[in-house]
């Protein structure tokens, strides 16, 4: 499956952005979807994930209440709504697709995702 992330940009502290990730090539609804991010000099970290049918979501502790992941299987797209953005949220954001058989507790693990998009830059100014 090919993934194309978009929607990044420059925003002030407290602002919002909505990232999109469009999938093509295989049946989108067969995959759990995740968002990860990587800041300069740091390791890639988990942000949020959603099960293949949208029935379950998982968030990193620092994003709970600020970010919302959703998906539209009819449009082969997963979204990440980001509110109350902080400078620490500055990073390249990547969407990823993984097997629908992955259990909830493993959704935060990068090795559970086999397909990755190219990333979109999010910069939050102070």
């Amino acid at each position: 499956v090919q993934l194309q992330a978009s929607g990044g940009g420059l925003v002030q502290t407290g602002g919002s952005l909505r990232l999109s990730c469009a999938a093509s090539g295989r049946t989108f609804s067969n995959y759990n979807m995740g968002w990860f991010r990587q800041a300069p000099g740091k390791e890639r970290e988990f942000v949020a994930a959603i099960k293949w049918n949208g029935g379950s979501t998982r968030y990193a502790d620092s994003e709970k209440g600020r970010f919302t992941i959703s998906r539209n299987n009819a449009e082969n797209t997963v979204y990440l709504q980001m509110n109350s953005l902080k400078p620490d949220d500055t990073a390249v954001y990547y969407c990823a697709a993984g097997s629908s058989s992955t259990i909830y507790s493993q959704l935060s693990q990068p090795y559970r995702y086999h397909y990755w998009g190219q990333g979109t830059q999010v910069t939050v100014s102070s």
Side-chain angles (χ1 to χ4, degrees), residues 5-86:
S6 61
L10 174 64
V11 65
Q12 291 184 332
T13 296
S16 298
L17 282 174
R18 188 193 196 202
L19 305 184
S20 300
C21 176
S24 62
R26 297 198 179 192
T27 304
F28 180 67
S29 59
N30 286 347
Y31 296 92
N32 297 332
M33 297 299 297
W35 285 97
F36 293 77
R37 68 187 183 188
Q38 188 167 18
K42 295 186 177 181
E43 294 186 354
R44 188 170 298 190
E45 65 176 2
F46 171 72
V47 176
I50 187 167
K51 290 285 281 180
W52 62 276
N53 60 356
S56 182
T57 58
R58 180 169 182 170
Y59 298 92
D61 288 342
S62 59
E63 276 70 66
K64 285 181 180 177
R66 299 191 302 125
F67 292 5
T68 303
I69 188 171
S70 62
R71 66 189 295 161
N72 185 327
N73 284 351
E75 296 185 355
N76 295 340
T77 304
V78 62
Y79 303 97
L80 184 68
Q81 177 67 44
M82 306 187 294
N83 299 327
S84 302
L85 284 163
K86 303 180 283 190

Side-chain angles (χ1 to χ4, degrees), residues 80-114:
L80 184 68
Q81 177 67 44
M82 306 187 294
N83 299 327
S84 302
L85 284 163
K86 303 180 283 190
D88 284 349
D89 296 318
T90 295
V92 177
Y93 284 70
Y94 299 89
C95 59
S99 171
S100 60
S101 64
T102 297
I103 59 175
Y104 178 85
S105 63
Q106 293 291 308
L107 288 175
S108 61
Q109 302 302 315
Y111 67 85
R112 290 297 186 184
Y113 296 86
H114 310 297

